[in-house]
Amino acid sequence: MTTSPKTIQIFLPSGDAHGIRIAEITTRIVQVIEVPRSLLSDFLKMEQSSQVGLYLLIGEDSEEGEQQVYVGQTGDLRSRLATHNQKKDFWERALVLISKTNSLTQTHALFLEWHSLQQIRKAGRFNDENGNSGSRPHTPAPLEAECLEIFETGSILVSSLGFPLFDSVVSSKPEEKEPDGLFYIQATKQGVTGEGVYTSEGFVVIAGSIANSEHSQSIGDANRRWRQRLIDSGAMAKNAEGQLTFQKDHLFRTPSGAAMALLGRRANGWTEWKDRQGRTLHQVKREPGS
């Protein structure tokens, strides 16, 4: 994905910031339309719902709180989304990708559906409801290049609307996983060895980091339940040596949340996380001149 500056326009058809939102990069033909489920009937009256499109149904697992997505494509958005409204319970918002020039074909849509699923699974932020994603559809090379350009635009718009489905929790910037971009936590007595990255979204604990297998008494009931959910969801699991280990890169909203997950106690992540020189995250990121 390119990192050049872009201008994104978000149009509110009803004037309601919480209603239907239409996002586009002003120099490109792709639009992504965010549709709250409660306003689906309004979208189905819009001209855009008559097109070939890719759609993503977004929701949350009520028990685990995990974000979920279903990816589909259709030449008849009105009929397909109406059917999903009747038969699928989990979703609360639909994201619909179309062309402003009505130029998407079924071949485009099939490739975009397949490619979107691969990228969602690679990013690992959302659990998909699709099951088997099927085989890669046959797409001539020129058309595949066009599809990838469409996907690039769509993924930027989807993220800009607040749904980073396709984005790794650690940026693709090479310096973030280089030693100079890493921060560390160690607690030898508890066997804790963690490393992580401070990003624009929060703090990411890197896969393979080893956490305290016990909770301290001081952590509190709410935090103990929160940490247990990380274990129950599989974010942390026992390895062959019995160590509680992060199974993949995991994004926390704050450095302190990341530190508490590893240490099993209340923690100030701004002072617990340190770089290779022993400087705290606070010193590196918040002190003047850092």
Side-chain angles (χ1 to χ4, degrees):
M1 183 179 295
T2 60
T3 57
S4 58
K6 297 169 181 66
T7 299
I8 295 174
Q9 174 179 286
I10 297 178
F11 175 60
L12 310 176
S14 68
D16 180 2
H18 302 288
I20 293 173
R21 301 195 293 170
I22 304 174
E24 61 183 78
I25 294 176
T26 53
T27 56
R28 303 185 188 179
I29 66 169
V30 175
Q31 286 183 333
V32 172
I33 305 172
E34 179 188 353
V35 184
R37 189 168 187 167
S38 61
L39 298 177
L40 180 63
S41 60
D42 292 347
F43 171 70
L44 299 183
K45 296 172 186 174
M46 294 169 58
E47 180 276 331
Q48 289 96 325
S49 70
S50 66
Q51 296 191 29
V52 173
L54 174 79
Y55 61 88
L56 305 117
L57 306 180
I58 308 292
E60 187 174 279
D61 185 297
S62 58
E63 294 183 1
E64 298 294 339
E66 295 288 329
Q67 293 175 303
Q68 297 174 287
V69 60
Y70 179 86
V71 184
Q73 58 77 31
T74 181
D76 186 356
L77 283 165
R78 286 174 180 155
S79 174
R80 185 67 59 83
L81 291 177
T83 298
H84 286 320
N85 194 34
Q86 294 294 320
K87 296 185 176 181
K88 289 190 183 296
D89 294 332
F90 81 92
W91 66 280
E92 293 300 328
R93 305 188 95 74
L95 303 174
V96 180
L97 184 153
I98 60 167
S99 164
K100 291 191 291 184
T101 57
N102 200 1
S103 56
L104 290 187
T105 67
Q106 205 73 40
T107 305
H108 287 106
L110 283 167
F111 182 88
L112 288 168
E113 177 188 42
W114 175 83
H115 186 68
S116 295
L117 265 175
Q118 309 314 306
Q119 297 306 306
I120 287 168
R121 290 171 178 176
K122 182 178 179 182
R125 289 177 181 254
F126 285 66
N127 296 325
D128 71 82
E129 295 289 304
N130 286 72
N132 188 349
S133 61
S135 57
R136 180 189 181 105
H138 173 70
T139 311
L143 190 59
E144 180 176 323
E146 186 177 341
C147 287
L148 291 174
E149 186 174 326
I150 291 167
F151 175 81
E152 178 193 5
T153 301
S155 65
I156 293 169
L157 296 174
V158 165
S159 293
S160 297
L161 288 168
F163 303 94
L165 288 153
F166 310 110
D167 303 334
S168 168
V169 294
V170 176
S171 165
S172 59
K173 295 177 181 177
E175 65 269 20
E176 285 199 343
K177 274 197 174 180
E178 291 297 316
D180 288 343
L182 289 173
F183 292 85
Y184 306 87
I185 276 182
Q186 285 194 321
T188 304
K189 186 178 294 186
Q190 292 79 28
V192 175
T193 303
E195 59 181 31
V197 179
Y198 186 51
T199 76
S200 59
E201 292 184 87
F203 198 94
V204 177
V205 174
I206 302 300
S209 294
I210 300 171
N212 188 351
S213 59
E214 304 293 333
H215 310 294
S216 75
Q217 291 298 316
S218 66
I219 196 172
D221 290 341
N223 289 330
R224 185 180 293 106
R225 289 192 297 270
W226 166 79
R227 192 169 184 264
Q228 186 62 46
R229 284 197 297 272
L230 290 173
I231 298 170
D232 294 341
S233 69
M236 297 191 294
K238 293 286 182 70
N239 63 17
E241 289 75 37
Q243 299 168 312
L244 191 59
T245 307
F246 275 83
Q247 302 302 294
K248 60 181 180 179
D249 295 349
H250 191 89
L251 173 66
F252 293 89
R253 292 182 180 179
T254 66
S256 295
M260 184 166 59
L262 279 160
L263 295 168
R265 59 170 172 77
R266 292 181 182 274
N268 180 349
W270 290 98
T271 56
E272 297 279 3
W273 289 104
K274 297 178 181 179
D275 68 7
R276 288 190 303 166
Q277 287 75 44
R279 298 175 300 170
T280 66
L281 181 63
H282 171 84
Q283 291 173 314
V284 174
K285 297 295 184 180
R286 299 202 299 191
E287 287 192 347
S290 62

